[in-house]
Structure formats: C-alpha cells, structure tokens
Amino acid sequence: MFHDLWQKAKPVLSRTWQQIRWIFHRFQLIRWAILAVLLLVLAMSTFFTYKAKTADVQDIKSSLQTKTVILDANNQKAGQLYGQKGTYVNLDAISKSVQDAVISTEDRTFYTNPGFSIKGILRSAVNLVLHHGEITGGGSTITQQLAKNTLLTQKQTLMRKGQEIFLAVQLNKVYSKADILTMYLNNAYFGNGVWGVQDAAKRYFGVDASQLDASQGAIIAAMLRSPSFYNPADHLDNARSRRNLVLDLMVANNKLTAQQAAAAKAEPIQVVDRYSTDSAEKYPYYFDAVIEEATKAGFKLDDILNKGYKIYTNLDQTYQTKLEQTYAQDWIFPQAAADGTKPQSASIALDPKTGAVRGVVGGRGDHQFLGFNYATQLQRSPGSTIKPLMVYTPALENGYHYDSVLVDKKQSYGKNNYTPTNATGTYLGSVPMYTALADSLNAPAVWLLNKIGVQTGVDSLDKFGLQLKSGDQNLAAALGGVTTGFSPLQMARAYSAFANGGSIVEPHFIRKIVDATGQTVLDNGTPTTKRIMSASVAKEMTSMMIGTFKDGTGMTAAPSGYTVAGKTGSTEVPSQWGYGTKDQWVIGYTPDIVVSTWVGFNNTDTNHFLAGTSENGVAPIFKLEMENLLPNTPQTAFNTKDAKSMAQLQTPDGSGDILGNVEGAIKNGLDKAKDTLGEWYNGLRGMFD
C-alpha cells in the first residue's frame, strides 16, 4: 500500500519541487535584477554627482551678468552680443507680483525644496508611462529649469533629466534661493527676441520690472510656459486667458485675495513697447558674421555669447552705417513679386590691402539672430562678373593686351554646338578687348576662352579662390553658366586682387579676441598677402574695368563724381518666363575699397524673378551705397586711365604714331594668323572626330 501511495505522490511531489525550484530561481533572478538596478542607480548617481560638481555652477551668476563686447577698427565699442542675455537686474528690482506669480505657477515649494520636487519627479514618471517612454517635460522646479537653461541642452532625454536634477541640487548648495530666482528671471525667454524680465517689462508694458502690477506680473509668468503663444503683443486673447489662470493659482497659493485677483482680471491689457537693445544688435549682420568666424576658429557659440570676451573687429562704423542707410531705402530695390515677396539683397565692403571687412548687410527685412546671411553664405552664379577672373586676366597673362582684337560673331563650339549670344542680339564682327569687357559682350568672351583654353581659365579662377566643379569646367563658365555658386564675400575677395596691385588677402572680420582675464585667445595678426598676378596685369585689368562704369554696362551704377572700376553681371531666366534675370551683381572698387552687391529672390521661379537687367535692378543700389561710402574713404586715385581713352590717345585720328601702328599691325596679324591656324586645326580635327 505504501508503495502505491508513493508512486501516486511522487509525480505530485516532483511537480511541487520543480515549482519550488522555479520560484527560488525566479527569486534569485529578481534579487539579482534588484541588485543590478541598485548598482545602475548608484553608478548613475555617482556619474551625475561628478558631472554636477565639475560643472561651471559657480560661474553662472557672473556669466549671466557679463556680456561679450564688440570693438570696431578704432577700438571703440560698437555694441555687445545680446545672445540669451537681457538687462540683468537684482531681485529687489523685480516686482513682488512677478515673483509671486512665477512661484505660484512654476514651483510652489521653491523656498523649501532641495532643488527638485519628489511630486514633480513622480508626475514626470507617470507622464513617461502615459506617453510610452517619451519625455514630455514638466515636473521641473525653478532650480531645475535654471540648470537646464544655463548648463544643458533643451533636448528631452532621461540622461538629461537626471543631470538636471543633480545640477539643481548643486545649484541649491552654491546659491541662495534669492540668487536662483534672480538668475532664472533674468535668463528666461519672453518671445520676440527678448530675454530677461527687465527687457520683457519694457517690451510689453513700457515699464521697469519693479513697476509691474499683479495683472502684468501674471502675464509675465504666463509667457514662461510658451513665449510665442502667450505674449500679449502677438496673442492678446491667449495672454488674457492664461493671465486669469495664473491669478487664480496665486489665490490658491495665498499670494492674492480673491478680490485682488478679480481686480487684476478686470484690468485691460495695454501693450507698450519701449524696449531697446542699446546697441546690442546695432549692426546685426556684422555681429552675426563675427560669431560665424569665431566658431570657425574653434570657439563654442555658448562661450562667445557668455564668457565676456572683448572681440576686436575690422568694423568701420561709418561704412556700416552708410550701408544700412542704403538698405533702408526700399525705393531703390526692384519691386516685389505679385504675392508681395520682396527680392533679397546683400552687400559687403572690403579693404583690399588688408582683407579687413569694413561693413556688411546680409539681407532685407527682419533680421534673425544667426539667420541666413546672404553676404557670406549665399551660393549663386556670378554671371558675367566671372569674365575678368576666368577670361580676361589669364588672356593678358598669355600675351593679349587691353586693345587686342577679339572676334564678335555668333558661332558654335564643340560637339554639343554651344552657341553663346550677346544680350543685344547684335554682333560687330570684331571688337577690342576693353570694349568686350565694358559692354559685357558674350560672344568675344567665349571666343577668347576657347583660344586660351578652358583649363587656363579654370586655373585662373582657382588663384582667385574660386573653384569650379568638374561639370562646370567648360566654355559656358565664361558667362557664369555654372552650378557652382559664390557669395558676395568671395567675389569681393577675388576683385580685391585688382585693387591691391595683383595681391590677394584673406577677408576677415576679427582682429583678435581677449577673454575676461585680459588674455588674448585669438590673434589674427598681420594677414598673409599672396601675389596671384603681376602688378602690370592688375593695372591693365583696372584700366579696362573703369570702362564698365564710364561707358559700359555699369553706367547707371556709376557714383557721381568718382572713378570706379569693376564689372556687372546677371543670370538669365528661361525665355518663356518673360524678360528678366535670376541674379544681378555689381562689383566695384577703388584702391581703398571693394564693394560687392547682389540682388535676387531667395527662391526663383516663374512668379519670382527680377524684371529687366541689372541697369534697372541692382545698379541703383550700388550707385547709392557707393555715393554714401566713397566720401568717407581716403579717395586714393587709380594709377591708370581707362583703356578706351588710352587707345584713343594712341590713335587720335585713326593713324597714330608709326611705331604704334606697326606694333598694332603685327599684333593683329598674329591674332589673325592664330585664328587661321585655329580654323585649320579645328577642320583637321573634325575630319578625325
């Protein structure tokens, strides 16, 4: 019997034992899992503690109060970088209504918590589960928000959230609650490019932060949740609704009585803008370019804005002001498109001897901090402004002269029968080089590039610092028919070689940067000058380019009373769109200054292009800005006359001196011989192609 019972019980006992072992095993796994989690928490805690203790917590207050100063070419203060800093004020200069409103909405336990809130963390954890692991924000104390805004990125991750909590604890140890609240209110963003409670009070109510009443203070606190959605200048109804909610929260937090809240709700909201950056963004595009250059030199953007540097620049405040005054005149710009879109434009003024950028305007319309700068970042076809660089300079270097006769005929080249045409549709048969350049004739330019060789032109461009893609290295490049684009800054640099007697210097905005301790952390020193052509070639090129403004395509752009050399350029739009252009350029110079100006729509299409040519587009802009700028330059004269007058001087009655005629006959005979040989060679080559 016992044996039978054992046999029946054995399977049951076995299963029970297996279950016990399984439970024990699972318990072991759970225990190890708990241990692993504890170890992970300990490791992360150690890591976050280390990160918090090694962060620049002690420097936050001084950093928020210190601004980077921009000095001009004469070491005079030109302004300061605004960045994420408003006008810093102490807590006693901030209305108690603002303080109470902010604490009531953002962190009721602010004065008693250790920098973080257990309830807030639990609330964040619940949100994490509800949103399937997505960090949605919220639950942060004022101290955590200060840590996030000053020491961390805005990216929502678990790692960043952990750092935020430990940094908040460290902040709470280093600073008093009054300091933390002060820093938070001075560092908060309030929309419309305004940082800090003092500037927000000026921007929206026209008063100091100390004068804000309960209604206004509630609106200030409301904007902390969403500056773009709750600011009264742009969304009055949203601001009113959120204000009333904040006032109710202040009542619940015993900061206002119900009667006081009701009175505040009844107060009309009047937006009064008395905000001024006090020269902080006086020259916004120049300052943007300074930041851009500093970051390329290895400086972090946050350091540039917050470390209290003194940045010594090449800015000429007079030049800069004159450029900005020109761009304030809407009447000189091409008309807007049918949908109201305005053409964009940019200009840059460069010292050809040193490469110092003296002034820049990077666009039209409202400026956005570190937004797109058309003067330094644009990549557009240069049109015919490429001709002096790719065609005429290398031609002079290869034996041609300013009065060499070029063929001006409509003809085709290569297997693809590339056929350049003159804009006027007329052809003279032959023209001197100076006429071809001044009148921007296309047929002679392509003919000449074909003679000297495309590679010669490409190599010449490279010396000017302009590189063409392999697919753009063809005859069409002579007219700017390239996919490669260049900026006004790049084109100004290239033309500076003509103004500087054949030598080129790298453009730069910054001379040196000095940190808050007085140590020079960047010194551009004396810029390196590189000779890319002989002085005689530069002089001869200048003589031809004076003709552009004297009797060529740039006549309407010529500044009254001044001699300027340079070139115009434009790129055509498809003929079915109508008569117009995509890009228009004028680049002009004297021995003292190079100015490169571009105009065109940001996006060119059938409804957005420039009607007509540069004569009625970019020309009036260039003329006005040069007439504003040139009186303030040293007004150094060119060491040459225009090529046309020199040619006429040599042959005033068509005969000239015997030696000149003999030289001309020999040269023209050689040119014709080259043409004949070239035609023979092309014919023979065609027999074998």
Side-chain angles (χ1 to χ4, degrees), residues 83 270 559 607:
Q270 294 182 330
N607 298 313

Side-chain angles (χ1 to χ4, degrees), residues 423-480:
T424 59
T426 59
Y427 305 87
L428 301 175
S430 62
V431 291
M433 187 189 293
Y434 61 82
T435 298
L437 189 156
D439 291 345
S440 200
L441 301 178
N442 292 335
V446 174
W447 176 87
L448 183 56
L449 180 60
N450 188 56
K451 289 295 180 184
I452 65 176
V454 171
Q455 190 58 51
T456 300
V458 171
D459 292 342
S460 177
L461 270 183
D462 190 63
K463 290 192 296 183
F464 284 102
L466 307 176
Q467 288 77 39
L468 291 185
K469 297 176 182 177
S470 58
D472 289 336
Q473 297 179 12
N474 51 53
L475 291 175
L479 311 182

Side-chain angles (χ1 to χ4, degrees), residues 329-345:
Q329 310 300 315
D330 280 343
W331 61 269
I332 64 171
F333 290 89
Q335 66 182 15
D339 63 2
T341 303
K342 292 182 178 181
Q344 270 298 342
S345 182

Side-chain angles (χ1 to χ4, degrees), residues 97-98 100-102 104-105 108 213-222 239-267 269:
S97 295
V98 175
D100 290 343
V102 170
S104 297
T105 54
R108 287 194 186 185
D213 62 22
S215 172
Q216 295 165 336
I219 293 173
I220 291 291
R240 182 182 295 108
S241 176
R242 182 70 183 174
R243 174 200 66 178
N244 294 345
L245 175 61
V246 171
L247 290 169
D248 288 339
L249 292 173
M250 293 175 71
V251 173
N253 198 32
N254 298 317
K255 298 300 181 182
L256 287 178
T257 66
Q259 292 77 11
Q260 289 172 326
K265 289 179 183 180
E267 184 177 311
I269 300 174

Side-chain angles (χ1 to χ4, degrees), residues 16-65:
T16 303
W17 174 245
Q18 291 298 328
Q19 290 174 348
I20 292 171
R21 289 185 62 189
W22 181 83
I23 292 171
F24 182 77
H25 180 67
R26 298 291 286 183
F27 178 76
Q28 288 286 86
L29 288 177
I30 293 171
R31 188 173 66 176
W32 282 111
I34 293 172
L35 181 60
V37 169
L38 290 174
L39 288 173
L40 179 61
V41 170
L42 179 61
M44 292 182 68
S45 176
T46 303
F47 171 75
F48 288 143
T49 300
Y50 169 77
K51 294 288 286 184
K53 288 185 177 296
T54 55
D56 293 330
V57 170
Q58 288 82 356
D59 297 332
I60 290 178
K61 186 175 181 180
S62 60
S63 175
L64 290 176
Q65 293 175 300

